[in-house]
Amino acid sequence: MKHIAKNNCLISVIKNGLATAHFNRPEKLNAVHLAMCEDIIESTKIWNQNSEVTILKGNGRAFSVGGDLKHVLNLSERKNDESNVSKIGHLGDEAKKAVYAMSSTDSILITIMNGYAMGIGAGFGINSHFRIATENSIFSMPECKVGIVPDGGCGLYFSKMPQNFGLYLGMSGEQIDGVKMAHLGIADFLIESSLLPEIEEEFEHAQFLRDEESICEFLLQRYCKKHKTEFKVPKQFGNVLGLSSLPSIMSAMEAQFPQQAQQIRKNSAFCVYAFYESFMKNKNAKLTLKDNLKMEQCVLDKVVVRNDLVEGLKSLFVDRTYIPKFNPRTIEEVNLEEIQKCFEPCFRKLFDD
């Protein structure tokens, strides 16, 4: 059985209880837009009805590079009008619904994050049952670089990382490879990309690979790559990230880890602060994925009306200089009352309950 979702953005082949599926926008590195979100939600229903296990990958050299914001906003002018804000909000809502649909499938979902896995695309990868990285994997949450805040459930997952390293990943947007993904728990398995076709064939014919315990044991014993190279978050770096306020974190980081501090300082100060607050709420309140997605919706609504988003995208895609004029310029200048307003409830419902 072959299922092509209505917008041709996600294609599934289902046989012997296994769905092999792929995002199908290779010319856009599988960037996420409204049509893809619709296709994800449609496809999860098909997987639930017809497959016990689903393997999801990207067509081409990316799993997914995240939201297709370049074509959502009118970049001809340096302003955010009501239409643009509405489009971003709508895309954000549908992407969160797609993340939740994927995370709650009855079919056991295995995501292969081969190539780029970024932004909301990384959210699709993280919120699956099993996650595979390869030597080609490049993971990042670069939202603060362009004037929005990491979402798609990544903030929730980041809050569970050892040594608070997820806080750094969200604030900096730093790219990490498959080895680091595996050691940080972003990926469950590190597997050579050349073995992926063989794995799919094994899954198709091996009927015992239809429960989580058997899948985990099979991948670990047969395919999981053993690396001599390890990655551990330096204890002192973790201590800095664990300080009691963002200004104190930045002050200590600039003294001890100036290169990492500089990466954060290049980004939107307002978005960095908003992510810090959302990270702490996730860490302290231990939110569910659904509650986290609702919180992310509220934050996105407040952030997209700011000029930082257009400024970041213009500098990246139009000027190609990446010297955005974010306002405020520094974390210390951020108005904390504005930050707290980001977490005020939204008036529209993201989910039915």
Side-chain angles (χ1 to χ4, degrees):
M1 171 185 172
K2 186 174 184 178
H3 175 259
I4 301 175
K6 68 176 182 179
N7 299 304
N8 197 39
C9 297
L10 209 162
I11 299 174
S12 305
V13 176
I14 303 173
K15 184 179 180 181
N16 297 331
L18 173 73
T20 53
H22 62 264
F23 295 132
N24 193 40
R25 297 190 75 208
E27 73 286 354
K28 299 294 184 181
L29 299 179
N30 300 315
V32 179
H33 59 354
L34 285 172
M36 181 182 280
C37 294
E38 292 173 1
D39 282 3
I40 290 170
I41 294 170
E42 175 188 334
S43 296
T44 57
K45 296 175 182 177
I46 298 297
W47 302 339
N48 286 342
Q49 295 168 1
N50 298 281
S51 65
E52 297 170 78
V53 176
T54 299
I55 297 175
L56 176 64
K57 56 188 178 179
N59 182 3
R61 60 192 180 95
F63 176 69
S64 172
V65 293
D68 197 354
L69 298 179
K70 180 179 178 181
H71 298 291
V72 174
L73 287 178
N74 176 8
L75 296 179
S76 62
E77 297 188 24
R78 288 184 180 272
K79 64 180 181 179
N80 239 345
D81 60 28
E82 187 174 334
S83 174
N84 286 335
V85 171
S86 176
K87 289 176 183 177
I88 291 287
H90 190 196
L91 174 59
D93 287 1
E94 295 308 305
K96 291 173 181 61
K97 291 176 184 177
V99 165
Y100 190 73
M102 289 180 65
S103 73
S104 54
T105 56
D106 296 327
S107 180
I108 299 169
L109 180 60
I110 304 168
T111 49
I112 301 176
M113 292 184 279
N114 188 36
Y116 294 104
M118 305 170 70
I120 194 68
F124 293 142
I126 279 182
N127 291 291
S128 58
H129 297 92
F130 292 113
R131 299 149 300 183
I132 294 174
T134 74
E135 75 281 2
N136 301 320
S137 296
I138 301 174
F139 176 97
S140 75
M141 296 298 291
E143 283 87 344
C144 290
K145 292 177 178 288
V146 295
I148 49 177
V149 179
D151 60 1
C154 284
L156 173 63
Y157 195 85
F158 282 179
S159 71
K160 301 174 183 178
M161 275 188 193
Q163 299 288 326
N164 292 309
F165 195 72
L167 176 60
Y168 171 71
L169 288 180
M171 294 193 301
S172 68
E174 181 174 303
Q175 295 184 355
I176 60 174
D177 61 18
V179 175
K180 289 183 179 179
M181 289 171 67
H183 284 289
L184 288 167
I186 294 171
D188 301 296
F189 311 101
L190 183 63
I191 296 174
E192 291 183 10
S193 60
S194 61
L195 297 174
L196 296 177
E198 179 183 326
I199 290 173
E200 289 184 34
E201 187 173 350
E202 290 274 9
F203 267 88
E204 182 180 337
H205 296 104
Q207 289 297 312
F208 74 92
L209 295 175
R210 297 295 182 265
D211 65 83
E212 293 190 18
E213 185 177 351
S214 298
I215 291 169
C216 186
E217 184 178 355
F218 171 75
L219 290 175
L220 282 174
Q221 292 184 358
R222 289 277 300 275
Y223 292 103
C224 198
K225 191 171 183 180
K226 304 297 182 184
H227 266 266
K228 293 181 180 179
T229 304
E230 291 190 2
F231 173 74
K232 292 183 179 179
V233 180
K235 182 178 179 180
Q236 188 54 37
F237 193 59
N239 290 342
V240 167
L241 290 168
L243 293 174
S244 60
S245 70
L246 183 53
S248 63
I249 289 172
M250 293 307 302
S251 178
M253 191 176 291
E254 285 175 319
Q256 301 176 52
F257 303 96
Q259 184 177 350
Q260 288 79 4
Q262 186 179 22
Q263 286 194 62
I264 296 172
R265 290 288 190 187
K266 289 180 180 179
N267 300 340
S268 162
F270 188 90
C271 293
V272 166
Y273 222 125
F275 175 74
Y276 170 80
E277 289 293 328
S278 66
F279 176 91
M280 296 307 298
K281 289 180 186 298
N282 271 309
K283 194 171 184 68
N284 296 329
K286 297 181 180 179
L287 301 179
T288 64
L289 176 60
K290 182 177 281 189
D291 287 337
N292 172 79
L293 293 170
K294 291 176 181 177
M295 180 179 71
E296 290 176 350
Q297 177 197 36
C298 298
V299 174
L300 179 65
D301 278 1
K302 311 303 190 303
V303 168
V304 295
V305 299
R306 301 178 57 82
N307 198 51
D308 277 7
L309 176 56
V310 172
E311 191 64 36
L313 291 176
K314 283 274 288 185
S315 67
L316 192 62
F317 295 120
V318 180
D319 303 336
R320 297 185 183 277
T321 58
Y322 196 68
I323 310 177
K325 297 177 182 178
F326 291 135
N327 182 31
R329 297 184 62 182
T330 69
I331 287 167
E332 290 74 15
E333 294 176 289
V334 171
N335 185 325
L336 298 188
E337 289 185 5
E338 286 189 54
I339 293 293
Q340 293 308 314
K341 288 180 181 179
C342 290
F343 297 91
E344 293 176 354
C346 298
F347 291 104
R348 67 186 189 284
K349 294 177 67 175
L350 188 60
F351 301 105
D352 292 335
D353 60 349

